[in-house]
Amino acid sequence: MIIRCLSCGTKNRMPENRLNAHPLCGRCGAPLVVDSSLHAPVEVTDSTFLGEVLTSSRSVLVDCWAPWCNPCRTLAPILEEFAAKYGGGVKIAKMNVDENPLTAQQFEVRNIPTMLLFRKGKLVNTLVGLLPKEEIERHLLSIMETS
């Protein structure tokens, strides 16, 4: 498993059987965040969007989805993996557009899946459609806070 250091941004290779050994960054010695149970995607709604996304201390990727959307269901496990892998540096949020039309309209979500990427409460990028995992990860790393 590759764990990105939240202090210096270095990618650290870590065997999965050593994740509970409180690993440290090989470059700067900072503790690596590996507790995936604390970093699952969070559900956001029209009423919680401000607190969970716009005023979050971390960068946020918001997955705009609907239960009837097959590409959205394909994307879900990829984003769960990213939430576990990068949870200390970026928050992964999920918003059902059928149940939260006000926020979807505010950010002009017309197609799903749509991923909204926020840094310091500002929308910095929008990804539309089911993109390759590597491309999503590249965009996710670009918004991640490393200091």
Side-chain angles (χ1 to χ4, degrees), residues 22 27 34 41 43 65 74-75 78-79 84 107 111 124 126-127:
H22 306 289
R27 184 178 201 184
V34 294
E43 291 288 332
W65 70 285
T74 302
L75 180 62
I78 295 169
L79 295 180
F107 291 98
N111 299 300
V124 294
T126 302
L127 308 175

Side-chain angles (χ1 to χ4, degrees), residues 4-146:
R4 189 176 188 97
C5 176
L6 299 179
S7 294
C8 70
T10 299
K11 293 180 182 178
N12 293 266
R13 188 178 308 272
M14 178 64 51
E16 290 190 29
N17 63 345
R18 294 193 51 226
L19 291 178
N20 293 328
H22 306 289
L24 302 175
C25 175
R27 184 178 201 184
C28 71
L32 297 173
V33 177
V34 294
D35 188 357
S36 62
S37 64
L38 298 175
H39 304 297
V42 297
E43 291 288 332
V44 295
T45 64
D46 285 341
S47 61
T48 63
F49 194 85
L50 174 67
E52 290 286 348
V53 179
L54 299 181
T55 60
S56 176
S57 61
R58 293 183 285 166
S59 296
V60 184
L61 180 150
V62 180
D63 173 27
C64 302
W65 70 285
W68 48 265
C69 168
N70 285 332
C72 297
R73 291 198 304 262
T74 302
L75 180 62
I78 295 169
L79 295 180
E80 287 171 10
E81 178 185 330
F82 290 156
K85 188 174 180 181
Y86 300 116
V90 66
K91 180 189 291 188
I92 306 292
K94 297 182 70 59
M95 184 183 70
N96 183 329
V97 295
D98 289 341
E99 296 174 357
N100 301 284
L102 297 177
T103 304
Q105 182 180 11
Q106 177 183 354
F107 291 98
E108 299 178 356
V109 176
R110 297 191 192 339
N111 299 300
I112 54 175
T114 291
M115 291 165 276
L116 306 172
L117 292 95
F118 292 85
R119 184 185 304 129
K120 298 179 181 173
K122 304 283 187 229
L123 180 65
V124 294
N125 202 351
T126 302
L127 308 175
V128 180
L130 182 59
L131 302 173
K133 178 180 174 179
E134 297 77 18
E135 185 174 346
I136 297 168
E137 187 170 29
R138 183 174 53 80
H139 286 285
L140 188 65
L141 292 174
S142 75
I143 66 163
M144 200 162 101
E145 302 291 330
T146 56

